[in-house]
Amino acid sequence: MAKGGFRGGPMGGMNQAAMLKQAQKMQQEMLKMQEELQTKTYTATAGGGMVKATVNGSHNLVALEINPEAVDPEDVEMLQDMVMAAVNEAMRTAENEASSTMSKLTGGLNLGGLF
């Protein structure tokens, strides 16, 4: 270490107040994006459109439509599979959009739930 102690820090002397301000701004933008994402809805279908599921950004099922033609008392299992497929696909779509949107804001950094 040079005489006089350590200087500059890992950011090459970058102003810590400016870094903190930038981090706070990013946090506010992320919170705003999260709120916007939670108000959106995501819809997916299964069975050629026989089952349609809609979830919101909070991953809650908000609508489920089943075409009466999909209801076969002899094959309830197929209907159950179609419902699960539609709901799971809608959930994946919501999660993928949230990840994509947050990645744009953070520049691809994985912040591990810091915000």
Side-chain angles (χ1 to χ4, degrees), residues 17 19-30 115:
M19 280 179 29
L20 181 59
K21 187 174 182 177
Q22 186 176 0
Q24 289 171 336
K25 181 181 176 189
M26 182 184 287
Q27 183 179 19
Q28 290 172 347
E29 289 175 11
M30 288 181 80
F115 294 102

Side-chain angles (χ1 to χ4, degrees), residues 26 30 33 99 101-111 115:
M26 182 184 287
M30 288 181 80
M33 281 186 174
S99 293
T101 300
M102 287 299 155
S103 179
K104 289 175 190 172
L105 178 66
T106 63
L109 292 176
N110 181 1
L111 300 178
F115 294 102

Side-chain angles (χ1 to χ4, degrees), residues 7 17 23 25 32-33 46-47 49-50 54 56 59 61 64 68 82 86 91 97 101 103 106 110 113:
R7 297 182 200 269
K25 181 181 176 189
K32 181 181 175 189
M33 281 186 174
M50 295 297 249
T54 303
N56 63 18
H59 297 104
L61 182 64
L64 180 65
M82 286 189 291
M91 294 284 192
E97 183 170 331
T101 300
S103 179
T106 63
N110 181 1

Side-chain angles (χ1 to χ4, degrees), residues 30-46:
M30 288 181 80
L31 290 172
K32 181 181 175 189
M33 281 186 174
Q34 287 174 336
E35 288 172 6
E36 289 173 5
L37 287 168
Q38 288 178 351
T39 63
K40 289 185 176 184
T41 58
Y42 307 89
T43 302
T45 62

